[in-house]
Amino acid sequence: MMSGPIRVVLADDQPLFSAGLQMILRSQADIEYAGDAVNGEAAVALVQETEPDVVLMDIRMPVMDGITATRKIMDASTMRSPKVIVLTTIQHDEAVVRAIQAGAAGFLTKDTTPDFLLAAIRTVHSGHSVMAPALTNELLRDYTTPGPVNDTVLDDLSGRERDVFLLAAKGLGNADIAGELFLSEATVKSHVGSILGKLKLKNRIQLVAFAYQNHLLR
C-alpha cells in the first residue's frame, strides 16, 4: 500500500509556466513539491538527489532535452524508477514517440487543465499510464519506420505470454485481454508483469512502442 505524499519534481525552462505548476502542486495535501530544474542535465541531477515518485519533464529544453534526460533517468534507476510524464505543446509529435521509447509513462499537453494534471500525477503514481491506447497506437504507427517482422525478440516469452503481449500491444486492457483469452484478470496482470520483466520494459506504453519498433503489429 502506498503511503505518504507523492513527491514530484518539475523540469521546464519557461519561468512563468513553471511558476504556475509549482503553485498547483504546492496546493495539494497529497503532493510534495520536491524541486525544479531548467534543463535536462539539471533534471537528471535533481532526480538523483531527491528520488521523486513523479517527474514532470518538458521535452524541449536547453543543455539536454527532456527525451535524453528521461532515458538517463530510466537507465540510472534500479527497482524504484520515478514515473516520467512528458510535457509538450503539440500532441501529435514525433518527440512524444521518442519520449515513450525512452521510458516515459505518458504525456500531457501544456494546455491541459490543473485538475487533469493532478489526476495524471496520481494515475501514474498508482502504476497506470496517462496516454490513451488508441492515441499511443496512432502516434507509433505514424512515426515508426516500416521494416521486417522481428519476432525473435519474443523468444523468451511463453506461448500464453505472447498472446497477452500482442493483445496488450494493440491497446487492450487487462479485462479485455482476460475476455479474449478466457483468463482471469489477475492471471493477465501476472503475465503482463512477467512480460515487462523479460523484455526489460518499464511500462505498457513501452510495450506498445517495442511492438512497433520490431514490426510485430500489422
Side-chain angles (χ1 to χ4, degrees):
M1 181 177 293
M2 297 175 183
S3 60
I6 305 168
R7 290 172 54 77
V8 179
V9 300
L10 168 65
D12 194 284
D13 65 328
Q14 298 176 354
L16 188 60
F17 180 77
S18 179
L21 280 188
Q22 289 182 44
M23 289 179 62
I24 293 167
L25 296 172
R26 292 181 190 278
S27 71
Q28 302 301 301
D30 64 333
I31 291 176
E32 178 186 342
Y33 184 70
D36 56 273
V38 295
N39 61 64
E41 187 176 273
V44 174
L46 180 64
V47 167
Q48 292 174 342
E49 178 188 345
T50 61
E51 298 185 346
D53 300 302
V54 177
V55 182
L56 300 178
M57 180 79 75
D58 189 18
I59 285 183
R60 293 174 175 86
M61 292 183 290
V63 184
M64 180 188 291
D65 63 70
I67 298 165
T68 304
T70 296
R71 184 173 290 108
K72 285 182 175 292
I73 288 168
M74 292 295 118
D75 288 347
S77 301
T78 53
M79 293 299 291
R80 187 184 175 281
S81 301
K83 304 297 192 302
V84 177
I85 302 174
V86 295
L87 305 172
T88 178
T89 54
I90 306 171
Q91 179 171 280
H92 203 82
D93 186 353
E94 184 178 4
V96 173
V97 174
R98 289 190 284 120
I100 292 168
Q101 292 168 343
F107 83 96
L108 295 173
T109 53
K110 287 191 169 184
D111 60 355
T112 193
T113 66
D115 285 346
F116 194 87
L117 168 74
L118 295 169
I121 291 169
R122 294 173 180 123
T123 297
V124 298
H125 184 240
S126 69
H128 300 284
S129 68
V130 288
M131 189 171 178
L135 181 55
T136 307
N137 282 19
E138 180 184 338
L139 276 166
L140 291 163
R141 184 180 64 244
D142 289 350
Y143 291 113
T144 300
T145 304
V149 174
N150 179 24
D151 57 1
T152 61
V153 295
L154 302 182
D155 283 352
D156 288 341
L157 303 187
S158 68
R160 181 55 84 193
E161 285 172 343
R162 283 184 177 227
D163 295 337
V164 172
F165 171 90
L166 291 172
L167 291 175
K170 292 176 182 178
L172 274 67
N174 288 353
D176 291 329
I177 295 172
E180 287 277 344
L181 299 178
F182 303 101
L183 300 171
S184 69
E185 284 190 53
T187 299
V188 171
K189 184 177 180 180
S190 176
H191 280 317
V192 170
S194 177
I195 291 164
L196 293 178
K198 288 181 178 180
L199 299 180
K200 296 180 172 58
L201 302 173
K202 297 288 185 182
N203 51 55
R204 291 176 79 124
I205 289 183
Q206 267 202 317
L207 184 152
V208 178
F210 181 88
Y212 274 95
Q213 283 176 296
N214 291 285
H215 312 290
L216 300 171
L217 295 178
R218 299 185 183 277

